[in-house]
Amino acid sequence: MVRIIFISDYFKVISPPTEHNVVAMTDDLSMAMSLMGVGMITVFLVLAFVVIVGNLLIKFVNKFVPAAVKPGQQPKNPQNISPAKIAAIKSAIDQLTEGKGEVINIEKA
């Protein structure tokens, strides 16, 4: 059996809104808004969770993992580098970083 499909079947005339169409459209918009609200709340909660866990991890690491050299301590000089070379390196780092950098450790390559 052969079925003939006319082009006019694809281009249906849109009828003016009826009460049934308006109610269905209102229900669709209501569902769309509620889904959008649930999605936005979910994204907010996930991002808040990530921020809280990140801050807790930072606090844990800062509390329980010791620093290599505490601020204010002078690093040891096990390679017996001359004080003049150390002063030159510190001066170069200070000038390069405009006073924001600090020499913590010097190792020979």
Side-chain angles (χ1 to χ4, degrees), residues 46 83 97:
V46 168
T97 62

Side-chain angles (χ1 to χ4, degrees), residues 23-42:
V23 170
M25 186 170 60
T26 305
D27 290 341
D28 289 343
L29 285 175
S30 174
M31 177 64 82
M33 290 296 176
S34 59
L35 283 174
M36 184 177 70
V38 168
M40 290 172 64
I41 290 171
T42 303

Side-chain angles (χ1 to χ4, degrees), residues 85-105:
K85 287 184 181 178
I86 293 175
I89 292 171
K90 286 184 179 182
S91 173
I93 297 296
D94 188 45
Q95 187 177 20
L96 181 67
T97 62
E98 297 175 355
K100 296 178 184 174
E102 181 181 351
V103 177
I104 296 175
N105 190 10

Side-chain angles (χ1 to χ4, degrees), residues 62-81:
N62 286 339
K63 186 174 183 178
F64 292 111
V65 177
V69 176
K70 294 183 180 178
Q73 283 184 338
Q74 291 294 329
K76 297 177 182 177
N77 188 3
Q79 291 99 3
N80 295 325
I81 301 172

